[in-house]
Amino acid sequence: MTKDKLDIEPFRQWSPAGDNLLLIAGPCSAESERQVMNTAAQLIEHKINIFRAGIWKPRSKPYTFTGCGEKGIPWLLEVKREFHLPVVVEVMNADQLKLVLDKGIDYIWLGARTTINPYMMDEISEALHGCDIPVFIKNPISPDLNTWIGALERINDAGIRKIATVHRGFQSVYSAPLRNEPHWDLPIKLKCTYPDLPILCDPSHIAGETKYIEDIVKKALALETSGLMVEVHYKPSEALSDDKQQLTPTQFGKMLENVNFHDRRCGLASNTPEQEEVIAKINTCRQIIDGCNEDLIKVLAQRMAAVKEIGEAKRKLELPALQASRWRDVMNQCLSLADELGLSKELVTEIMDVIHKYSIKIQ
Ligand code: PEP
Ligand code: MN
């Protein structure tokens, strides 16, 4: 069962960017006071609204940098004082939450490895009862809308009304060249379920490498994202975590210029609301089509790999590549599924014929 509605406060009322796109940026991890302060000093020039940095880092591998821990909190408070920038950190359990609340950190985010785990979510939700801190909730690492919604429901049930979610992509063996598979259809479905829920995009964790960030931001903007959370480090090559996906502050500023971020902040003034609506619809459909095309090509690659293998096996048994009865069965199976899904018979026959012809050729 999914709640029909989340009981949330309108985003513009608590977002430091008001009606504009919310811009969160900062390093993956807080590493030293110098790194935190230098990065923040350069980021304020790009008019960010919130400074981010992880102090406890959930890492895939042991023996890697797992965060500076509690000692990073004063560095973040220094950013807050010196640059008048609110700060956000990730918490993974009730103890970390308590520390962060006691010290006056402005916002928390819950990471993908936390939102995937109902026990961790229960612990944090319980500890959040009676608090008023705004919470950014990242999508869980698996592409499961129910788990994502479950995380939102748990935090909302704890009485937190200042909630935004962050789309950071999903683990998948097919994500290459990206680090995480965007599955753009999932944030779209979530938006359809909860139209008032602000959905931000974290292009850094989707991308995994800086060269893909700009395109991902463009897609997110086309989908009317409510904001961005971007990893920026003053010296990414020396970063202790996620070095390949962190932009320099200068690259970050350039990226914002390239995607026309500032224009979008003010809205597309030349368009009427009706035109805006149609453009948004077109953009949404294009994103869905792009995602489907990507899936089609990936499935096709998988199918061709199996075809090659079966070809070798058939050769060993001296069987012919083309076996008419098998092909008839395959086609019938496809056509009956097409019929069930309301797809044109002609379209499916034509596509399957081309695929079959090519499969025989490579066997
Ligand atoms: C992060 O933002 O640095 C982070 C660990 O995020 P995620 O939970 O999306 O992996
Ligand atoms: Mn990171």
Side-chain angles (χ1 to χ4, degrees), residues 14 17 26 40 91 135-136 149 158 209 268 275 277 318 320 332:
W14 64 270
V91 299
V135 184
F136 292 91
I149 291 177
E209 275 188 67
L268 297 166
Q275 277 175 328
E277 213 172 282
E318 294 184 346
N332 284 340

Side-chain angles (χ1 to χ4, degrees), residues 326-344:
R326 160 74 183 153
W327 179 241
R328 243 194 338 268
D329 291 345
V330 169
M331 193 58 122
N332 284 340
Q333 198 189 342
C334 292
L335 288 177
S336 98
L337 181 62
D339 191 42
E340 238 176 76
L341 298 173
L343 272 176
S344 134

Side-chain angles (χ1 to χ4, degrees), residues 47-92:
K47 304 198 168 45
I48 65 165
N49 308 107
I50 300 177
F51 184 78
R52 64 149 279 157
I55 57 178
W56 297 287
K57 299 302 299 179
R59 305 298 302 280
S60 304
K61 292 275 203 181
Y63 326 122
T64 49
F65 178 65
T66 52
C68 61
E70 206 180 324
K71 75 168 190 276
I73 295 180
W75 307 339
L76 293 172
L77 296 178
E78 184 66 12
V79 167
K80 190 174 161 172
R81 193 169 44 242
E82 176 85 18
F83 304 113
H84 307 286
L85 258 184
V87 289
V88 61
V89 296
E90 175 177 4
V91 299
M92 276 156 279

Side-chain angles (χ1 to χ4, degrees), residues 28 205 231 242 245:
C28 176
H205 286 87
E231 287 192 340
D242 288 352
Q245 70 190 34

Side-chain angles (χ1 to χ4, degrees), residues 27-29 52-54 56-59 90 109-115 138-139 141 166-169 179-180 202 205 229 231 241-242 245:
C28 176
S29 306
R52 64 149 279 157
W56 297 287
K57 299 302 299 179
R59 305 298 302 280
E90 175 177 4
W109 91 76
L110 306 177
R113 290 167 185 78
T114 306
T115 54
K138 291 209 181 185
N139 67 254
I141 39 179
V166 183
H167 170 224
R168 51 78 77 199
R179 177 178 175 186
N180 285 294
D202 167 348
H205 286 87
M229 182 190 269
E231 287 192 340
S241 60
D242 288 352
Q245 70 190 34

Side-chain angles (χ1 to χ4, degrees), residues 167 178 181-189 201 206 214-225 264 279-295:
H167 170 224
L178 303 176
E181 180 67 45
H183 283 296
W184 293 101
D185 56 311
L186 289 182
I188 292 170
K189 281 182 191 146
C201 178
I206 294 177
E214 193 172 301
D215 275 351
I216 295 165
V217 170
K218 283 181 182 161
K219 280 197 183 185
L221 288 171
L223 282 176
E224 302 187 329
T225 187
R264 285 170 196 269
I279 289 170
K281 179 97 196 144
I282 291 173
N283 282 334
T284 306
C285 293
R286 283 192 177 145
Q287 301 301 328
I288 296 173
I289 290 169
D290 286 353
C292 291
N293 289 342
E294 211 176 300
D295 289 348

